[in-house]
Amino acid sequence: TKKEAERWAAEQLISNDRMVSLDDSRMKLKDFMNKWYKDVASKKSINTAYNSKSRMDHHIIPDIGNYPLNKLTPLLIQDFYNGLDDKGLAASSKKKIMETLSNALRYALKLRLIPYLPTDIEKESVTRGKVIYWTVEEFSLFLDYVKDISLYIPVYIMGMTGIRPAELMALQWKKIDLDNRLMEITSQIIQDKESKKLVFTDILKTDSSFRTITIPKSLIEDLRSYKAATKHNRPNNFVVPTREGSMSSPSTLRTMFNKYLNKLRKEQEKDLIKEGYSSDEVEDMIITKMPLYNLRHTHATMLLNNNENIKVISERLGHRSIKTTMDIYAQVMPRSKSKTADLLDELMGKAEKDGE
């Protein structure tokens, strides 16, 4: 029959052109997902591996795990994706699930277990939220507010280097070259989502996360003073440790940051209301509320707004590519572009004067 002929042709495509045994191509997706996890995903960072396993176990395997690899088609995957709506999942969550499935099937394609990638389907677009960051004035204001407490140094480091909180907490003095003004990022401290334990690891988010960052002179001076004042200043000591000198959690730093930011905002609000401003007016006049992580965005936007090369910024942040940087900070770019236009006006004006 026609149906049998089509099945035979598909099997020939897999077995002959792709050199795959029919037994392998008939492996169930759930079995292959577990193989992919063991071979690939489990070797990623602890929480990346945990997230992949969670998406496998809660969505992919229960929904389509019993299908053989050679029965996976775009239509089937499209129906699976559409079905995620019934679970009330956000577009961003569905995107992550599809990324996990696609990564696994790319491995299957590499092993020649499937003839093509069936995950090229219609997906809901995920709009990136507005990047919240501080202006230079807000950053300076907060630094001044916390200058006499332990929060000062970690906030200053993040704002001037753009490193992630987890990278900051793993930073050791041996990774900072004060004489040559260099900081080496090679590790992070994270909380294992499964065991809830704090883990020091040299597995970073991406390969490009391993990087060396130049440090501004102003930060170098403060780091020298801080190192001289702390008893935890040996090469293997953490730059931002607990009081006892052991590794500290990024969540501890986040809690402290939120506490003092909220405190500053309340003080500003109180003073402005006393001056006669309304509550609605006050919100736009006080320091912006944002999470600790956004000091990284603050660093990037400071550089962008002063026309630093986008490639330099991308490398400094440890992004996988310039595209990642541009996608995140596209909304900030127009300000940089207007400065480019101003520069051209300035150049033309200078040329006209020289020609007079």
Side-chain angles (χ1 to χ4, degrees), residues 261-274:
L261 177 54
N262 289 333
K263 188 169 180 283
L264 173 56
R265 282 170 55 85
K266 286 178 181 178
E267 289 176 12
Q268 288 181 310
E269 182 179 13
K270 184 178 178 181
D271 290 342
L272 288 167
I273 288 176
K274 277 184 180 180

Side-chain angles (χ1 to χ4, degrees), residues 70-243:
N70 64 0
K71 296 297 182 183
L72 298 179
T73 64
L75 178 60
L76 176 68
I77 303 301
Q78 184 73 64
D79 288 343
F80 163 68
Y81 178 80
N82 294 343
L84 295 175
D85 282 334
D86 298 334
K87 300 181 180 182
L89 297 176
S92 57
S93 297
K94 292 190 291 183
K95 179 184 178 185
K96 292 294 184 182
I97 293 167
M98 287 303 300
E99 284 176 354
T100 300
L101 178 59
S102 294
N103 287 338
L105 292 181
R106 283 192 189 94
Y107 186 51
L109 185 64
K110 189 174 184 179
L111 297 179
R112 297 189 174 185
L113 295 176
I114 54 176
Y116 66 97
L117 198 62
T119 50
D120 184 14
I121 61 171
E122 289 297 317
K123 306 182 193 77
E124 184 180 347
S125 61
V126 180
T127 55
R128 189 181 290 276
K130 181 182 179 182
V131 175
I132 300 172
Y133 59 92
W134 281 342
T135 63
V136 174
E137 291 75 21
E138 287 177 305
F139 180 53
S140 298
L141 172 67
F142 190 77
L143 282 176
D144 189 58
Y145 187 70
V146 298
K147 65 182 179 182
D148 296 324
I149 61 174
S150 60
L151 186 59
Y152 175 81
I153 281 294
V155 168
Y156 199 12
I157 292 174
M158 283 192 65
M160 298 300 272
T161 64
I163 66 174
R164 301 174 177 95
E167 295 168 343
L168 169 64
M169 304 314 283
L171 187 63
Q172 297 165 292
W173 285 110
K174 66 183 178 182
K175 298 296 182 178
I176 301 179
D177 184 341
L178 294 172
D179 294 327
N180 293 307
R181 297 166 48 202
L182 297 173
M183 178 183 292
E184 192 178 0
I185 309 301
T186 60
S187 53
Q188 63 175 336
I189 288 176
I190 56 175
Q191 186 175 44
D192 185 335
K193 289 182 178 179
E194 192 167 16
S195 69
K196 307 303 179 186
K197 291 181 180 179
L198 211 56
V199 178
F200 177 91
T201 175
D202 58 2
I203 301 176
L204 298 185
K205 188 172 182 179
T206 65
D207 288 343
S208 51
S209 294
F210 293 89
R211 61 202 188 277
T212 299
I213 300 170
T214 54
I215 311 173
K217 290 179 181 178
S218 57
L219 178 56
I220 287 291
E221 291 170 6
D222 278 8
L223 283 173
R224 286 189 189 278
S225 300
Y226 172 65
K227 187 177 182 182
T230 181
K231 61 183 179 181
H232 307 300
N233 56 14
R234 294 178 181 274
N236 286 328
N237 285 154
F238 294 107
V239 177
V240 185
T242 62
R243 290 181 181 178

Side-chain angles (χ1 to χ4, degrees), residues 34-72:
N34 287 320
K35 173 179 174 54
W36 168 75
Y37 181 80
K38 180 182 177 182
D39 293 355
V40 181
S42 64
K43 296 178 173 61
K44 302 294 182 181
S45 65
I46 292 171
N47 287 339
T48 297
Y50 176 87
N51 289 336
S52 295
K53 192 75 166 64
S54 178
R55 293 174 199 131
M56 284 169 49
D57 294 344
H58 290 96
H59 301 289
I60 299 170
I61 290 176
D63 291 1
I64 54 174
N66 283 321
Y67 284 92
L69 290 178
N70 64 0
K71 296 297 182 183
L72 298 179

